[in-house]
Structures are given as C-alpha cells and as structure tokens.
Amino acid sequence: MPEAARYYAIGGFLLGIGLTSLWTIHRLNHTSGKPQKDEEKLSARQLKQLLRVTRVEDQELLKKALADLEENWKSQADIKEGVEGAIGNTPLIKIKSLSEATGCEILAKAEFLNGAGNSPKDRVALSIIHMAEEQGLLTPHSGDTIYEGTVGSTGISLAAICRARGYKAHICMPDDMAIEKSDLLLKLGAEVERVRPAPIVDQKQFVNLARTRAAEHTADPLKPGRGLFADQFETEANWRAHFTGTGPEIYDQTGGHIDAFVSGAGTGGTISGVAMFLKKRLPDVKIVLADPPGSGLYNRVKFGVMFDTKEKEGTRRRHQVDTIVEGIGINRVTHNFDVGRELVDDAIRVNDEQALAMARWLVEHDGIFVGSSSAVNCVAATKLAKQLGPGHRIVTLLCDSGARHLSKFWANREVGGSEDDVCLDQILNPKRDSSREPTELTPRKKYV
C-alpha cells in the first residue's frame, strides 16, 4: 500500500471506531512503541491532519499509536496454508424465518462455505488423504490417483484437494445425478465415469467400479503411480473428520448449549461423528436423522430393520422409487453409520415435495440458496422444533449450494411473485398424494 494511502487508512479507521485515542495514548505511556522505518513515517501534512482529527497534541505519541496499531494488524493477519487451510471453522448461522415461526432457535452450520469443494465432504476428503499419506499410500506428483464412487460432493472435494496436493482423481458416479456435478469435476481435472444406477451387489455399481479401477491402476505397470480407493462409505477417516472437526466446532460455537442435532446420512459419517462428540459431553442432546424417500435408514432407526418390522428384511420384492434428493439416503448400513447408530434417537421422513418447498422458502425468506440435502435437513429441523416446542436450540447443516442442483432439483422453479406460495404449515404437512409420494417401505431408485 502507498505511504499516503496507508496513513489515510489508519486515520480513517481511528475516526470510524470513535477515535479512542486518549485511551491508546494512556496505554502507550506505560509501554514502549517500536521505532518506525523511514518509509513508514508520516508526512508533515498528514500528521497535522491526524492531529486535528484526533485532537492529540503530542506528535510523537500519535506516531507511536499509529505504529502500534499497524503492527497489531500485521501480527493478526490470518493467512491460510493453501486451499486445505480454508476447510473447517465454517460459520453457524441462525435461520431467522424458521426460528421466528417455531419459537426455537434453529441454527445451521454453513458447510457450503468450506473452501475447497464447498461442502462438508471437504473435511472427509482431506481426512482420507491425510490418513493415506501417513500410511505411505500416497506420494505427491508421482502419478498416484485417488478413485472414488460418489454422487458428487465427495468427488468434487477430492478433485480439488488432489490438485492442491499433487494427486489425480478418478470419479465414478451414477448417470442420473445433476449434470453440473460431473461438469465441475471435469473442470477440476478429474476423470469422470458416469454409469447406470445399480444395486451394491452389482460389480458395475459405481462404488464397486471405483474399487476395481483403483486395483487395475496399481496392477498396471504402464500406469505411473498407484491407485487408491478412497472408500468413503467404510473408511474410519470419514466419521473421524466430523468427530474432530464438525462436532467440536458446533459445541464451541453454541457454548455447549444444544438441545438437538439434525442431519441426513449418505455415508453416515457426519451424523455418527458429530453424535459421538456431542453425546459424550451432552448426554441429553437429541440426535435426529433426516431421511428422504426410498431410504431404509428411517426404518432402521425407528424399527431396527431396513424395512418394516412386519416383514423379514429383504424378502419382499419392491418397486423402485425415484427421488430428486441427492447426497443422502441409502439402503444399507455402512460402517460409518453403524459406529454411531446407537446414538441416533429418532428419524424424520421428508419427501421431495417438502424439500422443494423448503428450498424455495429459504430463498424467499432468508436469501439462503441451497441444494436438496440441505432442504431435507431444514424440513426435519423445523418438524422437530414443532415437536419439542418453543425455547429449544436445534442445529443442522447446510451442505451445499443450490448452484449444484440447477438442472434437477431447481429445474423450472422460480422464486418470488408467485400466487401459489405455500405457508410453513403446508410445507411441514403437505396434502398426501399417493400417486406421487412413495411409501416409507419403498427403496429408492438410486442404489448406493
């Protein structure tokens, strides 16, 4: 910054905060200021202006005050180490409209502000890479490639962090995910395979395919480096990222005052990791799963099996169900969900209609533009607030921006000026339409 601009800025800052110069000077009388370098000295005219504004008669004291202030600015500089340094410590924001409507304080961890892939999966991707590096499984700039099967967010986080740390990324994903996700992956330099949705028992299912591709890479002498299967659904690095990061941040940001935590589950790492951290310190905190249509986790939590208690698990053939919710909901119990499953107290089902209406509500009333899983979380948090009654504090997650869902979840939907706007009660209790709404016992089409 030029000399003149620097000191005018300092003078403006002093004026803007109320010019508490007398207090500063009193403090300086008991401390020693550092001598200024020649290039940092004030011109006579600048000093005269500042003296007049601050009404300080002692020029040397003013110089010391300004030097001290500038030195403090320098020492407080918050410089992150690469894009990885911008992961975590996301803000916790109050969703004003939902809080006012319910009488509860509904808070949301703004995970879409993570600095690499803009989702909570940044935490997981970095944890996976750190663990692999510690085990000697990855060497930067050697051609080592990370392979993963994902519906989008984990792949985006891996692609960004791989580039930052000297690795390549190969992502396998279902071909019915929003196209902007695969477009973004390509722009980040990842290799992308879009495959037909298939059950986990099929070796061509996207997760199984990623595992196979990693093994093929390692076995191929013509390919540089090795292939590493990230294995987000089963790796310990997943839930640990939230046990050591997301959970402690929520606890600190709320001062340990939390009545409930609400989250959807895809891999299950978020809800398990946060639950394990919070329950250890707050045994009475309520952990609630938010689950979309076709997922079996709702019934797993409510009834102990993936389907209904009246039938043996997996013995009945069921129709497939399509849902526009991406990123959460699954029809098997992963290791990451299982490690914290006993800590999940309840589950709330949220259908597509409710998620769509909530996403629109958040934009219209709060200016918050999010994707499908975030909308599901907010519906469940609001439902829970109605159940608990006024005066409670509920924390949930805003997972990613609606910008990743323009072609599907947000397709052909505008905000503002519509005559058919719904109220919050209609979002929470929509009219049941059996022709559109799947039953709770029906698995989703997106096999994961």
Side-chain angles (χ1 to χ4, degrees), residues 234-280:
E234 309 300 327
T235 178
E236 294 274 321
N238 188 335
W239 68 262
R240 288 181 184 275
H242 299 290
F243 180 81
T244 60
T246 316
E249 289 173 26
I250 290 172
Y251 184 84
D252 290 342
Q253 289 169 324
T254 59
H257 175 207
I258 316 167
D259 294 300
F261 174 71
V262 177
S263 175
T267 63
T270 301
I271 195 167
S272 288
V274 173
M276 284 189 284
F277 183 88
L278 293 182
K279 283 281 193 179
K280 186 175 181 180

Side-chain angles (χ1 to χ4, degrees), residues 22 123 147 362 398:
L22 293 177
R123 301 175 186 268
Y147 292 79
L362 291 172
L398 298 178

Side-chain angles (χ1 to χ4, degrees), residues 92 104-107 249-261 278 281-282 284-286 390-395:
L92 187 66
C104 289
E105 194 173 20
I106 298 181
L107 309 177
E249 289 173 26
I250 290 172
Y251 184 84
D252 290 342
Q253 289 169 324
T254 59
H257 175 207
I258 316 167
D259 294 300
F261 174 71
L278 293 182
R281 290 152 182 82
L282 303 167
D284 294 330
V285 69
K286 195 174 182 68
H392 292 86
R393 175 181 279 179
I394 300 166
V395 176

Side-chain angles (χ1 to χ4, degrees), residues 35-49:
Q36 291 178 304
K37 299 178 182 178
D38 290 341
E39 64 269 22
E40 292 180 338
K41 291 181 179 178
L42 286 167
S43 70
R45 185 172 63 86
Q46 291 167 345
L47 183 60
K48 184 177 180 180
Q49 289 175 330

Side-chain angles (χ1 to χ4, degrees), residues 99-307:
S99 299
E100 292 170 3
T102 61
C104 289
E105 194 173 20
I106 298 181
L107 309 177
K109 192 97 164 96
E111 288 293 279
F112 63 90
L113 295 179
N114 274 300
N118 309 122
S119 81
K121 298 301 184 180
D122 282 358
R123 301 175 186 268
V124 176
L126 186 59
S127 180
I128 289 171
I129 291 173
H130 276 161
M131 184 175 289
E133 289 174 339
E134 290 169 0
Q135 295 172 354
L137 301 176
L138 290 174
T139 302
H141 309 292
S142 66
D144 284 354
T145 302
I146 296 179
Y147 292 79
E148 183 59 301
T150 169
V151 297
S153 291
T154 303
I156 292 167
S157 296
L158 280 170
I161 301 172
C162 278
R163 283 293 166 182
R165 299 185 74 85
Y167 308 114
K168 296 180 180 179
H170 183 117
I171 306 301
C172 301
M173 63 188 303
D175 62 10
D176 59 351
M177 295 295 105
I179 192 65
E180 48 265 38
K181 292 184 180 181
S182 57
D183 287 347
L184 179 54
L185 283 165
L186 292 170
K187 295 298 187 293
L188 288 169
E191 187 173 351
V192 180
E193 279 190 80
R194 290 176 68 97
V195 299
R196 292 287 300 275
I200 191 67
V201 294
D202 190 331
Q203 290 306 304
K204 293 183 180 180
Q205 191 259 6
F206 64 99
V207 175
N208 294 331
L209 183 62
R211 182 187 293 106
T212 299
R213 293 284 188 256
E216 291 173 347
H217 181 146
T218 301
D220 189 345
L222 300 179
K223 280 191 173 183
R226 297 160 293 180
L228 174 74
F229 176 48
D231 200 15
Q232 62 166 324
F233 289 89
E234 309 300 327
T235 178
E236 294 274 321
N238 188 335
W239 68 262
R240 288 181 184 275
H242 299 290
F243 180 81
T244 60
T246 316
E249 289 173 26
I250 290 172
Y251 184 84
D252 290 342
Q253 289 169 324
T254 59
H257 175 207
I258 316 167
D259 294 300
F261 174 71
V262 177
S263 175
T267 63
T270 301
I271 195 167
S272 288
V274 173
M276 284 189 284
F277 183 88
L278 293 182
K279 283 281 193 179
K280 186 175 181 180
R281 290 152 182 82
L282 303 167
D284 294 330
V285 69
K286 195 174 182 68
I287 307 297
V288 179
L289 171 75
D291 213 31
S295 172
L297 297 181
Y298 172 89
N299 289 303
R300 188 70 171 185
V301 171
K302 299 287 278 189
F303 309 120
V305 295
M306 291 299 286
F307 300 103

